[in-house]
């Protein structure tokens, strides 16, 4: 088999979803596109958090803070109280600002470990929320600020004054932002995979598995911990910019503890340490409540909004389902969706292999391929680092 | 001077209540390496049951029922959900996220039942106050300090002298060796969860008592302030939880009293101050005040 033919399945596996994603704005309502946009923003942030928690083994619950720094940074840099820079420049500066905020926290992030860091970063969420309310010259206080639309080479990503129509489909804000989000997500995906598979990723994984061993091998512990934190905050900042652009208004209450916990849930549901898993988890956690809120009144036992007291409203129904989904998924697959997919794939492969001619040594070689849960299960959730 | 004494007492009472919650975190963490995010909603459940039942059973009966039910729920959550997960300390974050799921379920349900109401728990202290010379103290605060001191003392005695306490300390030291000695890890763990649940339910009573106006659906969020208290002292150290809670309680009370002087820093500073103190302490001692620096084995 030639090289090209060998790469063909992998290439199609990468290109087909991309084509589908590019085609979606031509078919979907703007409601669904908005859900998609929120999910993309969440995916970018989740990839960043996954670098930190899944690879470096550091738990962070302060992600909402860095998202907020990115979002407010963009708004301030591009907006009226603020220098009013071109949006692209403002975006880059906002990402750098989020990185700098992560760097400021690095004296803590470099020294404090695991669960301790998780709670320490919780502080950032509360302090950040306090700052957002207090510095109302910059942040607009409780009511927040509206967001300048992104502009690239004269094309404003807004429901704009120009009535752009592509192939008979009117292109409003959601359609335009969709492609922008896709580009950002693709950028994040490839840079994160590059980081994970390269030298830094290996150093971080070594650090996670054994700090002592890693430092003996010459990995500077504190520096790697804090730089993982900085990189993860920069991704969070980028996600914050996209969130700001798709909401068109930033308010302090969005960036609360709940958001941080959602991000943590995303990467754990997706499967720690995997870029694909983080994206899947982000879509799951972001889209599920929105989709459920849309269809909740059609579920059995759920009353329409505004029904008498004591009946189950759609918002509550979607919260119940969300909570239950987290519990059920993690009990069923403690290594997350990524681990689930991997097990399905290996089971499928072993079945395919078994079917054609009988294996040379009887049933023997086919059996071990089906994962033996006793040997893989305990090590999988933290060990896994193949993106 | 009176202001200072008042503030000190308020801080002490607040710290005593936080200590009940933070001790629960520490017990659970010691037994299972899990940070229990459902602690706030368990606290709320205890308070809610007490509030609903006190007209039928009287305060003491309702409190007992609330405490027992919450303890049972915590035990069930551990036994039925968390003990099914892989028992690797490094995989503890999975269990932590599962508790977040449990928290979402519980809080949604309780918030739906409580709605916008303020529930009275029917506690015997009411709004009575006592005057000692220049200082006036609400009875409920005195009760909070006294009951917490008693209960925490009892818990420490349990740790030190009971078979369960010994099992727990052994299991925390070396799980494998403990299992080989015949310690029933599952049961030890579950009992730890039950105890923590009971403490949380007890804390709910004092959080809803005077000078607070009653139990509302956001009362459970108080657990978020016990997080810094638990971390500050060192997550695996019960004594640390106690010390951390007092530090956090006093910090909060002082910031509330002197808020007007600190107005430059914005409103609502008392909600942020505990976290600032925590970060400062962690900068100096990354494992908390009483946390042992784990020895690394190569």
């Amino acid at each position: 088999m030639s090289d090209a033919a060998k790469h063909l399945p992998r290439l199609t596996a990468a290109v087909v979803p991309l084509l589908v994603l590019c085609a979606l704005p031509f078919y979907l309502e703007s409601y669904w596109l908005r859900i998609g946009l929120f999910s993309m923003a969440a995916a970018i942030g989740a990839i960043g958090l996954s670098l930190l928690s899944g690879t470096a083994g550091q738990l962070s619950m302060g992600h909402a803070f860095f998202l907020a720094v990115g979002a407010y940074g963009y708004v301030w840099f591009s907006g009226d109280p603020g220098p009013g820079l071109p949006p692209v420049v403002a975006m880059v500066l906002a990402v750098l600002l989020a990185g700098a905020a992560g760097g400021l926290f690095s004296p803590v992030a470099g020294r404090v470990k695991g669960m301790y860091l998780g709670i320490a970063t919780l502080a950032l969420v509360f302090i950040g929320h306090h700052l957002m309310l207090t510095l109302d010259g910059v942040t607009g206080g409780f009511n927040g600020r509206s967001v300048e639309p992104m502009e690239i080479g004269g094309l404003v990503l807004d429901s704009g004054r120009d009535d752009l129509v592509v192939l008979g489909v009117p292109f409003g804000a959601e359609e335009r932002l969709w492609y922008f989000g896709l580009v950002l997500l693709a950028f994040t995906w490839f840079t994160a995979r590059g980081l994970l598979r390269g030298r830094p990723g290996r150093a971080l994984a070594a650090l996670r598995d054994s700090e002592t061993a890693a430092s003996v091998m010459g990995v500077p512990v504190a520096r790697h911990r804090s730089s993982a934190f900085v990189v993860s905050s920069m991704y969070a900042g980028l996600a914050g910019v996209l969130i700001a652009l798709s909401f068109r208004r930033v308010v302090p209450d969005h960036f609360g503890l709940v958001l941080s916990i959602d991000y943590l849930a995303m990467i754990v549901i997706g499967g720690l340490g995997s870029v694909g898993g983080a994206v899947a988890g982000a879509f799951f956690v972001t889209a599920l409540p929105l989709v459920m809120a849309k269809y909740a009144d059609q579920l059995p036992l759920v009353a329409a909004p505004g029904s008498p007291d004591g009946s189950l409203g759609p918002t509550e129904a979607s919260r119940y389902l969300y909570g239950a989904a987290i519990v059920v998924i993690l009990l069923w697959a403690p290594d997350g969706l990524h681990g689930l997919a991997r097990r399905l794939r290996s089971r499928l492969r072993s079945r395919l292999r078994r079917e054609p001619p009988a294996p040379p040594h009887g049933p023997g070689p086919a059996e071990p391929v089906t994962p033996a849960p006793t040997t893989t299960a305990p090590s999988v959730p933290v060990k896994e680092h193949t993106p | 001077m009176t202001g200072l004494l008042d503030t000190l007492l308020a801080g002490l009472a607040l710290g005593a209540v936080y200590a009940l919650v933070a001790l629960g975190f520490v017990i659970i963490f010691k037994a299972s390496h899990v940070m229990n995010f459902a602690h706030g909603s368990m606290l709320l459940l205890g308070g809610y049951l007490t509030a609903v039942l006190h007209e039928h059973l009287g305060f003491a009966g309702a409190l007992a029922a609330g405490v027992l039910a919450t303890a049972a729920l915590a035990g069930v959550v551990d036994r039925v959900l968390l003990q099914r997960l892989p028992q690797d300390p490094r995989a503890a974050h999975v269990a932590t996220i599962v508790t977040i799921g449990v928290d979402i379920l519980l809080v949604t349900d309780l918030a739906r039942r409580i709605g916008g109401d303020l529930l009275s728990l029917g506690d015997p202290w009411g709004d009575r106050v006592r005057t000692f010379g220049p200082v006036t103290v609400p009875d409920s605060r005195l009760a909070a300090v006294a009951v917490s001191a008693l209960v925490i003392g009892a818990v420490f005695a349990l740790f030190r002298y009971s078979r369960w306490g010994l099992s727990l300390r052994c299991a925390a030291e070396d799980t494998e060796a403990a299992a080989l000695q015949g310690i029933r890890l599952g049961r030890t763990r579950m009992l730890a969860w039950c105890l923590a649940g009971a403490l949380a339910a007890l804390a709910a009573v004092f959080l809803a008592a005077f000078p607070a106006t009653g139990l509302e659906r956001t009362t459970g969020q108080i657990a978020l302030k016990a997080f810094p208290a638990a971390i500050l002292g060192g997550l695996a150290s019960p004594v640390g939880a106690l010390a951390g809670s007092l530090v956090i309680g006093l910090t909060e009370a002082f910031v509330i009293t002197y808020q007007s002087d600190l107005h430059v820093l914005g409103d609502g500073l008392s909600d942020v101050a505990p976290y600032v103190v925590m970060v400062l302490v962690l900068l100096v001692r990354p494992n908390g005040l009483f946390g042992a620096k784990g020895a690394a084995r190569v």
Side-chain angles (χ1 to χ4, degrees):
Chain A
M1 205 190 283
S2 76
D3 252 16
K6 221 185 273 177
H7 285 304
L8 202 62
R10 294 195 66 168
L11 208 64
T12 38
V15 169
V16 169
L18 202 66
L19 284 179
V20 171
L21 281 175
C22 286
L24 279 178
F26 292 96
Y27 299 99
L28 289 182
E29 300 280 323
S30 63
Y31 178 80
W32 296 106
L33 289 181
R34 213 171 303 139
I35 291 183
L37 265 175
F38 293 155
S39 310
M40 283 189 231
I44 294 173
I47 288 176
L49 188 58
S50 185
L51 280 182
L52 183 68
S53 297
T55 315
Q58 294 282 69
L59 201 66
S60 166
M61 301 216 279
H63 226 53
F65 171 72
F66 297 108
L67 290 164
V69 171
Y72 276 101
Y74 172 75
V75 171
W76 190 75
F77 281 124
S78 66
D80 184 14
L85 296 168
V88 179
V89 180
M91 180 176 80
V92 174
L93 286 178
V95 170
L96 292 178
L97 185 70
L104 277 182
F105 198 64
S106 69
V108 179
R111 306 184 60 196
V112 181
K113 277 188 292 183
M115 215 58 96
Y116 284 86
L117 183 65
I119 310 294
T121 46
L122 204 59
L124 285 178
V125 176
F126 288 93
I127 296 171
H129 194 257
H130 183 72
L131 288 179
M132 281 184 256
L133 290 175
T134 312
L135 302 173
D136 45 8
V138 176
T139 63
F142 181 74
N143 291 319
R145 283 179 65 169
S146 59
V147 180
E148 289 290 314
M150 179 52 74
E151 187 181 342
I152 300 167
L155 179 67
V156 185
L157 304 181
D158 191 4
S159 47
R161 295 138 279 251
D162 50 343
D163 294 318
L164 182 67
V165 176
V166 179
L167 297 177
V169 177
F171 257 44
E174 279 80 19
E175 284 84 358
R176 300 176 196 196
L177 273 175
W178 177 271
Y179 291 105
F180 183 63
L182 269 187
V183 171
L184 292 187
L185 180 56
F187 169 78
T188 308
W189 178 291
F190 287 114
T191 48
R193 277 177 77 124
L195 273 179
L196 281 183
R197 291 183 172 176
R199 226 176 132 79
R202 277 159 207 263
L204 289 176
L207 204 57
R208 173 198 59 195
D209 290 340
S210 165
E211 190 181 323
T212 318
S215 63
V216 168
M217 304 279 279
V219 178
V221 176
R223 206 184 68 194
H224 267 79
R225 279 225 178 91
S226 13
S227 50
F229 203 80
V230 170
V231 171
S232 141
S233 338
M234 288 171 76
Y235 282 126
L238 188 62
V241 174
L242 192 57
I243 287 176
L245 286 170
S246 30
F247 271 108
R248 284 175 237 164
R249 181 158 198 94
V250 286
V251 286
D253 281 358
H254 178 70
F255 301 100
L257 179 61
V258 177
L259 192 68
S260 271
I261 287 184
D262 278 352
Y263 273 87
L264 209 55
M266 284 173 204
I267 60 164
V268 175
I269 287 178
L272 277 182
S274 126
V275 172
V279 173
F283 272 77
F284 180 86
V285 170
T286 316
L288 183 80
L290 292 170
V291 172
M292 269 193 293
K294 190 171 168 72
Y295 290 111
D297 50 345
Q298 292 169 24
L299 293 172
L301 300 176
V302 177
S307 313
D309 271 355
S311 55
L312 187 61
T315 336
E316 279 135 12
S318 77
R319 290 297 287 171
Y320 280 126
L321 285 175
Y322 176 43
I326 291 178
V327 174
V328 170
I329 287 185
L330 289 182
L331 283 188
W332 186 37
D335 43 356
L337 297 173
H338 173 247
L340 199 65
R342 206 163 35 89
R343 261 177 286 160
L344 276 180
R345 216 181 306 146
S346 73
R347 192 168 300 174
L348 208 68
R349 205 172 289 157
S350 71
R351 190 160 300 168
L352 284 180
R353 217 172 285 168
R354 218 177 303 169
E355 265 170 18
H361 304 293
E367 288 306 319
V369 181
T370 45
T374 41
T375 53
T376 51
S379 60
V380 157
V382 270
K383 284 279 188 186
E384 185 51 44
H385 57 267
T386 339
Chain B
M1 191 58 207
T2 326
L4 189 67
L5 264 180
D6 268 340
T7 313
L8 261 175
L9 277 171
L12 205 62
L14 208 55
V17 181
Y18 286 159
L20 289 176
V21 184
L23 196 56
F25 279 130
V26 168
I27 295 173
I28 286 180
F29 186 80
K30 217 171 155 66
S32 53
H33 299 283
V34 176
M35 203 71 212
N36 179 23
F37 273 90
H39 219 68
S41 55
M42 287 176 182
L43 183 152
L44 192 59
L45 174 75
Y48 175 74
L49 288 176
T50 315
V52 173
L53 295 174
H54 83 265
E55 280 174 13
H56 308 291
L57 305 175
F59 174 69
L63 179 60
V67 166
L68 285 179
T70 313
L73 177 88
V76 167
V77 165
D78 181 50
R79 193 92 212 212
V80 176
L81 301 179
L82 303 183
Q83 290 195 14
R84 276 167 197 268
L85 295 167
Q87 299 301 318
D88 182 347
R90 288 186 303 175
H93 52 261
V94 176
T96 302
I97 305 290
V98 171
T99 65
I100 291 178
V102 172
D103 182 66
I104 292 174
L105 286 173
L106 257 179
V107 150
T108 312
D109 197 55
L110 289 169
R112 187 166 70 91
R113 284 166 203 276
I114 297 174
D117 296 346
L118 271 173
L119 303 178
S120 156
L121 261 51
D123 53 289
W125 307 292
D127 53 0
R128 281 196 306 274
V129 290
R130 245 162 243 242
T131 325
F132 299 98
V135 212
T136 314
V137 197
D139 271 9
S140 57
R141 282 202 171 139
L142 290 178
V145 174
V147 172
S148 297
L150 271 180
V151 169
I152 291 170
V155 170
F156 275 66
L158 265 180
F159 273 143
R160 183 74 186 78
Y161 300 110
S162 75
R163 280 192 77 80
W164 168 77
L166 189 60
S167 309
L168 182 70
R169 283 182 287 137
C170 289
E173 201 67 40
D174 187 335
T175 321
E176 220 164 297
L180 288 173
Q181 298 293 320
I183 288 173
R184 300 201 200 175
L185 295 178
R187 206 167 68 173
T188 310
R189 234 185 102 151
M190 188 180 77
L191 283 176
W193 275 75
C194 290
L195 182 61
L199 291 177
L202 192 63
V205 173
F206 299 112
L207 286 171
F210 185 78
T213 41
L215 189 82
E216 35 184 344
R217 58 167 152 183
T218 51
T219 302
Q221 288 172 5
I222 204 78
L224 289 175
K225 282 187 196 149
F227 271 133
I231 290 280
L232 191 65
L235 250 184
S237 151
V239 182
L242 204 56
S245 304
L246 289 181
V247 171
I248 296 294
L250 288 172
T251 308
E252 207 179 329
F254 273 98
V255 174
I256 290 177
T257 311
Y258 298 106
Q259 193 134 27
S260 49
D261 301 330
L262 299 168
H263 195 70
V264 203
L265 298 174
D267 299 326
L269 195 64
S270 59
D271 291 335
V272 188
Y275 290 96
V276 178
V277 171
M278 173 186 72
V279 171
L280 292 180
V281 169
L282 284 183
L283 267 178
V284 186
R285 291 188 65 97
N287 285 315
L289 290 175
F290 290 78
K293 190 166 162 44
R297 203 184 306 161
V298 188

